[in-house]
C-alpha cells in the first residue's frame, strides 16, 4: 500500500503535464481533477501511472451527463437520448455556437424573416409532396400546435384505435385537449370505418387526425381507413406519423412516411426529428403551404420555436450522409458477426460466448421489426461493472446474461469497448 502511495505522481508534476488543460480550464479546476484522480489511484481504482490521463478525462466531463456506449441493440433508445447525432450534425453544433446569421441578411445588413430557411428547404427537398415545412421543439409540440391551429374550439375527429399513450404517461388525447380542441372519438379499438368518420364530420369539425400507433400493433380482426379515403370527407386531414421517416423504406414496410401520407392526400404531417430521421430533438410539420403558413403564424408557434443549435444539427443531418440510426438499423447479422468474433477473440476465448440476438428499432417505433444480429454473452453481474465504466456501457440483460450487441456501437469504438469489457470482467472476478 505504501508503495502505491509513493508511486502516485505529485500534484505539481501532473499540473505541469496538463499545462494545456490549465490554460483551457483554469488551474483550480484542473487541480481538483488531479486530486480526484490521485484519490482514485490511492483507492486502487486506477493505476498510479494513469493519474494524468484520468484527470484529463474528468475535465472533459463538461456536463453532468455521462457518455454511454449503447450495447443494447436498440437503435432509437429513448432513455439514452434517442438518436445519436451524425458527425456532421455534431460539428454543425460547434460551428453555430457563436453569433450566426439566423435572422440576418448579410447582403443588405437588415433583419431577415427567413429563420432557418435552408433547413426548411432541405426538409422539403427530402420529402416529395411537401410544399412547405416548419420545425418546432418535438413531435408532441408539432401535433399539439397543429391541432390548436386547425381545431381550437372545434372538434378533432380521431379513431378510438389511435388514442395512444406515447410514453412517460403522456396521452395524445390529453395533449390535444389541453390547448382547446375537443376530441371526437369514432369507431372501435380494433375497427374504424369510413362511415364512422363521415357521420362525425360536420360544421364543428376542425380536422381529422390520423395517428400512427407507433408503439404497439393490433392484429386480427382490424380495419382502419386510409388517408386517401379520409381526404374525401371535406375536412383537413392531419397525419401524425411519429417516426420521422420522410420517404418509404422497404425494410420498414409498416412505418408510414411523410411523403406517402402527403401523396395519399394528407394536408399536414407531423413527426419527430430524433427517431428514424436520426437528428436532434425536433418536431417536424410538413404539407400544404397555406396550412403550414397558418400554423407558423399562430401565437403558440412562438412558444415552441427551436434554436439555432437544433436548426443546424437538423440541417446537417438532412444534407449529410446516412444518419447513425439509419446505418445501425440496416446492419445485417453477417456484417456484425466478424466484429463480434474479433472482440470475443481479443477478450480471450473461453471467457465469452457469442449468441444470436434480435435488435430493435426502439423509441416506440416499428414494434414488429426485429433486427437479427450477434452479441457477446457475459455473466449478468458484469452489466453493473460496465455501467460504472467511463464511458458507461449499457448492455442488455436477458436470460441471466449480459448481452453486448455491437449494432449501435460505432466500429471505431470497438477497441475502447473491448478495454472496458476486459476491465469489467476483471473487476467482476
Ligand atoms: C413519438 C411520437 C410522438 C411524440 O413525439 P416526441 O418527439 O417524442 O414529442 C407523437 N406521436 C407519435 C405517433 C409518436 O410516435
Amino acid at each position: 500500500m505504501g508503495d502505491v502511495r509513493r508511486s502516485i505522481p505529485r500534484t505539481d508534476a501532473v499540473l505541469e503535464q496538463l499545462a494545456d488543460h490549465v490554460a483551457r480550464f483554469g488551474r483550480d479546476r484542473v487541480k481538483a481533477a488531479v486530486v480526484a484522480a490521485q484519490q482514485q489511484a490511492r483507492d486502487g481504482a486506477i493505476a498510479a501511472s494513469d493519474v494524468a490521463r484520468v484527470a484529463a478525462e474528468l475535465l472533459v466531463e463538461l456536463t453532468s451527463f455521462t457518455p454511454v456506449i449503447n450495447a443494447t441493440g436498440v437503435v432509437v433508445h429513448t432513455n439514452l437520448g434517442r438518436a445519436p447525432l451524425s458527425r456532421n450534425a455534431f460539428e454543425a453544433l460547434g460551428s453555430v455556437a457563436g453569433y450566426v446569421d439566423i435572422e440576418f441578411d448579410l447582403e443588405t445588413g437588415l433583419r431577415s424573416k427567413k429563420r432557418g430557411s435552408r433547413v426548411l428547404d432541405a426538409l422539403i427537398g427530402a420529402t416529395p409532396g411537401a410544399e412547405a415545412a416548419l420545425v418546432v421543439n418535438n413531435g408532441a409540440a408539432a401535433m399539439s400546435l397543429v391541432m390548436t391551429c386547425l381545431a381550437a374550439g372545434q372538434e378533432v375527429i380521431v379513431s378510438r384505435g389511435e388514442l395512444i399513450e406515447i410514453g412517460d404517461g403522456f396521452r395524445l388525447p390529453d395533449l390535444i385537449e389541453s390547448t382547446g380542441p375537443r376530441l371526437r372519438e369514432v369507431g372501435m379499438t380494433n375497427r374504424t370505418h369510413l362511415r364512422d368518420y363521415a357521420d362525425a364530420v360536420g360544421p364543428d369539425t376542425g380536422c381529422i387526425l390520423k395517428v400512427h400507433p407507433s408503439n404497439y400493433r393490433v392484429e386480427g380482426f382490424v380495419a382502419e381507413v386510409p388517408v386517401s379515403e379520409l381526404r374525401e370527407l371535406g375536412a383537413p386531414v392531419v397525419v401524425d406519423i411519429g417516426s420521422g421517416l420522410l420517404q418509404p423504406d422497404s425494410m420498414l414496410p409498416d412505418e408510414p412516411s411523410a411523403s406517402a401520407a402527403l401523396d395519399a392526400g394528407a394536408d399536414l404531417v407531423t413527426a419527430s426529428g430524433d427517431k428514424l430521421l436520426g437528428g436532434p430533438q425536433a418536431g417536424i410539420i410538413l404539407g400544404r403551404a397555406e396550412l403550414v403558413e397558418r400554423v407558423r403564424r399562430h401565437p403558440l408557434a412562438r412558444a415552441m420555436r427551436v434554436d439555432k443549435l437544433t436548426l443546424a444539427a437538423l440541417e446537417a443531418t438532412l444534407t449529410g450522409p446516412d444518419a447513425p440510426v439509419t446505418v445501425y438499423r440496416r446492419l445485417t447479422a453477417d456484417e456484425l458477426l466478424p466484429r463480434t468474433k474479433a472482440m470475443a477473440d481479443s477478450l480471450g476465448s473461453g471467457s465469452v460466448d457469442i449468441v444470436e440476438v434480435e435488435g430493435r428499432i426502439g423509441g416506440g417505433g416499428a414494434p414488429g421489426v426485429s433486427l437479427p444480429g450477434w452479441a457477446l454473452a457475459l455473466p449478468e453481474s458484469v452489466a453493473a461493472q460496465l455501467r460504472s465504466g467511463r464511458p458507461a456501457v449499457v448492455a442488455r440483460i436477458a436470460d441471466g446474461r449480459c448481452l453486448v450487441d455491437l449494432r449501435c456501437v460505432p466500429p471505431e469504438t470497438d477497441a475502447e469497448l473491448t478495454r472496458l469489457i476486459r476491465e469489467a470482467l476483471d473487476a467482476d472476478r
Side-chain angles (χ1 to χ4, degrees):
M1 201 60 207
D3 284 351
V4 173
R5 276 168 195 273
R6 241 168 287 138
S7 64
I8 292 172
R10 288 184 28 241
T11 309
D12 285 351
V14 184
L15 282 175
E16 212 163 283
Q17 234 180 308
L18 297 177
D20 286 352
H21 291 78
V22 173
R24 186 166 156 212
F25 297 105
R27 193 179 164 86
D28 288 351
R29 238 186 102 184
V30 181
K31 193 169 166 189
V34 173
V35 169
Q38 287 169 325
Q39 188 58 47
Q40 288 188 27
R42 250 174 249 127
D43 296 343
I46 61 169
S49 53
D50 279 344
V51 166
R53 179 178 66 80
V54 170
E57 279 175 12
L58 288 173
L59 282 166
V60 176
E61 287 177 15
L62 295 175
T63 72
S64 61
F65 295 105
T66 301
V68 167
I69 294 178
N70 174 9
T72 63
V74 178
V75 178
V76 181
H77 200 303
T78 305
N79 305 134
L80 300 181
R82 282 204 183 152
L85 291 182
S86 65
R87 185 88 217 156
N88 276 21
F90 171 79
E91 278 168 13
L93 289 175
S95 73
V96 299
Y99 297 116
V100 290
D101 62 342
I102 185 166
E103 277 180 31
F104 189 80
D105 186 333
L106 291 170
E107 225 166 88
T108 61
L110 301 173
R111 169 170 181 259
S112 150
K113 286 189 193 133
K114 293 190 195 146
R115 186 184 165 90
S117 64
R118 278 163 304 214
V119 191
L120 302 181
D121 288 346
L123 268 174
I124 297 163
T127 317
E131 294 172 6
L134 182 67
V135 180
V136 292
N137 263 321
N138 55 27
M143 138 85 138
S144 146
L145 176 61
V146 167
M147 292 302 109
T148 308
C149 183
L150 299 186
Q154 289 184 291
E155 287 179 350
V156 173
I157 301 176
V158 64
S159 160
R160 288 200 170 86
E162 299 172 4
L163 295 171
I164 61 169
E165 180 172 308
I166 53 182
D168 199 22
F170 279 97
R171 296 180 161 171
L172 239 39
D174 299 341
L175 186 70
I176 292 168
E177 294 202 309
S178 68
T179 53
R182 293 189 306 280
L183 216 57
R184 174 85 176 256
E185 301 172 16
V186 298
M188 290 292 125
T189 305
N190 58 334
R191 291 171 72 81
T192 302
H193 307 284
L194 185 60
R195 65 170 184 278
D196 295 321
Y197 287 98
D199 287 349
V201 173
D204 258 2
T205 305
C207 66
I208 297 172
L209 171 66
K210 197 158 169 57
V211 182
H212 175 54
S214 49
N215 48 11
Y216 73 100
R217 275 197 309 174
V218 187
E219 282 177 42
F221 189 53
V222 296
E224 60 171 321
V225 184
V227 174
S228 55
E229 292 177 23
L230 292 179
R231 66 179 298 195
E232 305 298 334
L233 298 175
V237 177
V238 178
V239 181
D240 177 18
I241 60 166
S243 74
L245 213 54
L246 299 181
Q247 296 194 35
D249 186 316
S250 58
M251 274 183 64
L252 302 171
D254 296 330
E255 277 305 300
S257 70
S259 65
L262 293 168
D263 276 352
D267 296 286
L268 289 178
V269 170
T270 64
S272 294
D274 54 353
K275 293 180 178 172
L276 291 175
L277 189 61
Q281 176 185 304
I284 290 164
I285 300 168
L286 289 156
R288 279 181 34 216
E290 168 246 326
L291 285 180
V292 173
E293 183 58 17
R294 240 174 88 191
V295 175
R296 194 178 72 81
R297 300 213 140 273
H298 193 280
L300 200 56
R302 183 64 171 75
M304 298 175 172
R305 186 169 95 163
V306 289
D307 71 341
K308 60 185 178 174
L309 298 177
T310 301
L311 291 171
L314 187 58
E315 182 181 359
T317 303
L318 289 165
T319 56
D322 282 345
V325 292
T326 309
V327 174
Y328 298 161
R329 72 178 168 83
R330 288 186 180 152
L331 283 174
T332 64
D334 285 350
E335 288 167 309
L336 289 162
L337 186 57
R339 279 174 62 200
T340 312
K341 275 188 175 154
M343 197 172 286
D345 285 349
S346 76
L347 286 166
S349 51
S351 57
V352 291
D353 289 336
I354 293 180
V355 295
E356 281 189 89
V357 288
E358 294 195 343
R360 293 274 159 200
I361 294 289
V369 173
S370 93
L371 306 169
W374 300 91
L376 302 173
L378 311 171
E380 183 177 342
S381 51
V382 176
Q385 289 292 342
L386 285 171
R387 287 198 308 273
S388 70
R390 292 296 175 270
V393 179
V394 178
R396 180 152 30 113
I397 295 174
D399 302 328
R401 288 183 301 188
C402 165
L403 301 177
V404 173
D405 185 334
L406 300 187
R407 174 174 300 283
C408 309
V409 178
E412 61 272 20
T413 309
D414 283 2
E416 184 176 33
L417 178 56
T418 308
R419 172 179 67 80
L420 290 161
I421 294 174
R422 191 176 290 123
E423 286 171 8
L425 283 169
D426 287 348
D428 191 57
R429 282 209 182 97

